[in-house]
Amino acid sequence: QRKNPFSSDDRLASKPAHTHRGDPTYGRPPEGSRTEQRGKDAHSHVGKEVEELCLIIRRTGEVGEDGHVSVTFGQLFETYVTISNKVVGILLRARKHGLVHFEGEMLWQGKDDNVVITLL
């Protein structure tokens, strides 16, 4: 739609986005927009939480024979939940970036308390 359907004014609405898959701007907010800035701020915040999680694993975990620091999910949950209630989401993000390793797709409190999380 080239006209804003919610306005009685005949001015053109914002420039329509005709991006296609494969285009570097596909699925991204307009450059310089407030939406883009909010996304950058959120990405930075999550990055800081991932760093903090890694520091907590290093502090509370034990060094194994392979030289990597490991901690059980139950121990990490009890320590980290007082800092943030998003411990599982942050763990998944850290694994996506290759910072930690653990078995399974998702970790559940109680059921997965003995799953070992290894800091890479």
Side-chain angles (χ1 to χ4, degrees):
Q1 294 178 344
R2 292 205 41 110
K3 289 188 177 183
N4 184 345
F6 303 106
S7 173
S8 59
D9 195 353
D10 287 337
R11 293 180 297 169
L12 292 177
S14 61
K15 184 179 175 182
H18 293 294
T19 58
H20 303 283
R21 288 184 193 262
D23 184 351
T25 61
Y26 181 76
R28 298 194 180 272
E31 196 171 319
S33 68
R34 289 173 52 198
T35 301
E36 180 190 39
Q37 186 59 47
R38 283 191 296 269
K40 287 179 179 179
D41 293 346
H43 184 74
S44 173
H45 178 74
V46 169
K48 288 175 186 172
E49 284 204 33
V50 167
E51 285 179 33
E52 185 175 11
L53 176 75
C54 291
L55 288 173
I56 290 171
I57 292 172
R58 187 180 315 265
R59 212 176 308 136
T60 61
E62 296 176 9
V63 179
E65 293 175 9
D66 59 358
H68 293 296
V69 178
S70 297
V71 65
T72 63
F73 176 65
Q75 183 182 3
L76 179 64
F77 189 89
E78 290 301 318
T79 304
Y80 193 78
V81 79
T82 59
I83 299 166
S84 173
N85 61 352
K86 302 176 288 280
V87 64
V88 175
I90 299 300
L91 269 172
L92 292 173
R93 178 64 64 103
R95 179 170 65 177
K96 179 180 176 182
H97 290 287
L99 300 173
V100 298
H101 173 74
F102 56 89
E103 295 296 323
E105 291 293 317
M106 180 67 84
L107 296 172
W108 303 97
Q109 183 185 11
K111 176 182 164 238
D112 295 319
D113 282 352
N114 295 322
V115 171
V116 176
I117 300 166
T118 305
L119 184 61
L120 304 174

